[in-house]
């Protein structure tokens, strides 16, 4: 479970070349996943906000953010990072002190693999979210995880409680939110020794693939039907076609030559 010590170790790791690269790719992954969500004036609750690294990212995306964590130390660290850009609440992640649908969105980033009861935590996220939930987790179905097992080293600073992958996570989501629409992508295809900006692996690890095989997995769940948005150009073409059709005789539009005028 996250505490001040594991968060400190994680922040130390983020200062390494591998950690800095991984964090930048996770940031790009989250940006892509939420790109279809309206953000201006929309509220988001970041459950397990820790010291506020991901919370700050979400704020930059345009959400009105609230950080939530079980640790007063971590809340204080996040408050120091965010200042007045975020609200904060302290409590248990499997018993959120909020009304149903109180937030537009909820994020669970690098949390579910560390909690004892991920189903209860996810159920609470769906309860308080009116529009959607975004989940980020280390992926057990990845080359990174396989090489970590061979080296007998933990996959990431801190200790995993359980292994998670797209299939186990999607089964959990379907049980809790059967009508939700799931979109998933993963990033960081290689082992951590390849997490560098340059060369072949630098390009390969930056690929955000729909295949759930990267070291970090992002899953976006829409709990509300999304209205399709028509691009402006298509709308203009449709309007032009309608105007032109209205100027033509009916018979001509059906492929029959119009009768000559008397």
């Amino acid at each position: 479970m996250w505490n001040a010590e594991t968060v400190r170790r994680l922040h130390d790791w983020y200062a390494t070349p591998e950690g800095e690269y991984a964090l930048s790719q996770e940031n790009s992954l989250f940006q892509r996943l939420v790109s279809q969500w309206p953000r201006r004036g929309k509220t988001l609750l970041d459950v397990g906000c820790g010291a506020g690294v991901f919370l700050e990212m979400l704020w930059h995306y345009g959400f009105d953010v609230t950080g939530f964590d079980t640790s007063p130390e971590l809340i204080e660290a996040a408050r120091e990072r965010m200042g007045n850009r975020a609200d904060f609440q302290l409590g248990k992640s499997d018993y959120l002190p909020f009304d149903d649908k109180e937030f537009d969105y909820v994020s669970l980033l690098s949390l579910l693999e560390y909690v004892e009861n991920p189903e209860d935590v996810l159920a609470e996220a769906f309860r308080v979210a009116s529009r959607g939930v975004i989940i980020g987790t280390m992926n057990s179905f990845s080359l990174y995880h396989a090489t970590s097992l061979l080296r007998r080293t933990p996959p990431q600073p801190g200790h995993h409680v359980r292994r998670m992958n797209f299939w186990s996570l999607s089964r959990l989501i379907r049980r809790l939110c059967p009508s939700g629409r799931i979109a998933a992508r993963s990033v960081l295809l290689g082992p951590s020794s390849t997490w560098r900006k340059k060369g072949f692996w630098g390009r390969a690890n930056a690929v955000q693939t729909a295949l759930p095989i990267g070291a970090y997995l992002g899953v976006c769940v829409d709990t509300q039907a999304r209205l399709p948005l028509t691009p402006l150009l298509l709308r203009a073409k449709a309007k032009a076609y309608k105007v032109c059709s209205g100027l033509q005789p009916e018979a001509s539009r059906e492929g029959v030559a119009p009768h000559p005028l008397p």
Side-chain angles (χ1 to χ4, degrees):
M1 185 62 184
W2 288 111
N3 55 43
E5 174 60 22
T6 55
V7 169
R8 185 193 61 79
R9 291 171 57 196
L10 180 62
H11 282 212
D12 289 346
W13 182 73
Y14 281 151
T16 67
E18 295 90 346
E20 182 181 359
Y21 181 82
L23 185 62
S24 68
Q25 298 311 316
E26 291 166 14
N27 183 12
S28 298
L29 178 67
F30 297 143
Q31 280 186 303
R32 180 165 183 172
L33 285 171
V34 304
S35 62
Q36 297 301 312
W37 282 355
R39 281 155 280 167
R40 187 178 298 275
K42 302 302 180 186
T43 56
L44 181 144
L45 175 69
D46 185 27
V47 180
C49 68
V53 174
F54 291 129
L55 185 67
E56 188 172 30
M57 288 182 187
L58 294 163
W59 180 84
H60 281 296
Y61 300 165
F63 294 108
D64 295 336
V65 294
T66 297
F68 184 91
D69 206 280
T70 59
S71 167
E73 294 176 274
L74 296 181
I75 288 288
E76 189 57 35
R79 195 188 304 277
E80 184 175 343
R81 171 187 288 269
M82 296 296 296
N84 61 3
R85 295 178 294 172
D87 295 325
F88 293 95
Q89 291 277 356
L90 185 69
K92 295 182 178 180
S93 56
D94 57 353
Y95 192 78
L96 298 175
F98 305 109
D99 294 334
D100 294 356
K101 314 301 181 187
E102 185 166 339
F103 296 88
D104 293 304
Y105 302 103
V106 173
S107 60
L108 304 168
L109 306 181
S110 295
L111 175 69
L112 289 183
E113 65 266 45
Y114 292 96
V115 298
E116 296 179 4
N117 46 356
E119 185 165 357
D120 292 345
V121 172
L122 187 55
E124 279 291 274
F126 282 127
R127 181 183 67 79
V128 303
S130 64
R131 290 174 172 265
V133 173
I134 182 170
I135 303 160
T137 180
M138 296 304 294
N139 181 17
S140 65
F141 191 78
S142 65
L143 182 59
Y144 167 63
H145 184 76
T147 55
S148 296
L149 291 178
L150 290 175
R151 294 195 308 268
R152 297 181 180 274
T153 57
Q156 165 176 326
H159 299 282
H160 284 294
V161 173
R162 60 180 43 76
R163 301 173 186 175
M164 304 204 71
N165 55 53
F166 172 75
W167 295 277
S168 62
L169 190 53
S170 61
R171 286 194 298 269
L172 193 58
I173 292 169
R174 287 301 178 206
R175 283 203 300 272
L176 299 171
C177 186
S179 61
R181 295 194 309 139
I182 300 174
R185 287 192 170 271
S186 67
V187 73
L188 301 171
L189 299 180
S192 59
S193 60
T194 67
W195 294 356
R196 296 288 193 279
K197 293 180 180 179
K198 297 181 180 179
F200 167 79
W201 278 110
R203 296 187 297 273
N205 283 315
V207 172
Q208 296 178 16
T209 175
L211 297 174
I213 57 175
Y216 201 83
L217 175 68
V219 178
C220 187
V221 186
D222 276 293
T223 59
Q224 186 181 75
R226 187 190 304 161
L227 295 176
L229 301 177
T230 305
L232 186 60
L233 181 59
L234 292 181
R235 275 194 255 175
K237 288 174 66 177
K239 186 174 181 180
Y241 176 80
K242 184 177 181 180
V243 170
C244 291
S245 298
L247 296 176
Q248 298 178 26
E250 189 68 29
S252 177
R253 293 202 302 272
E254 295 176 357
V256 180
H259 292 293
L261 293 173

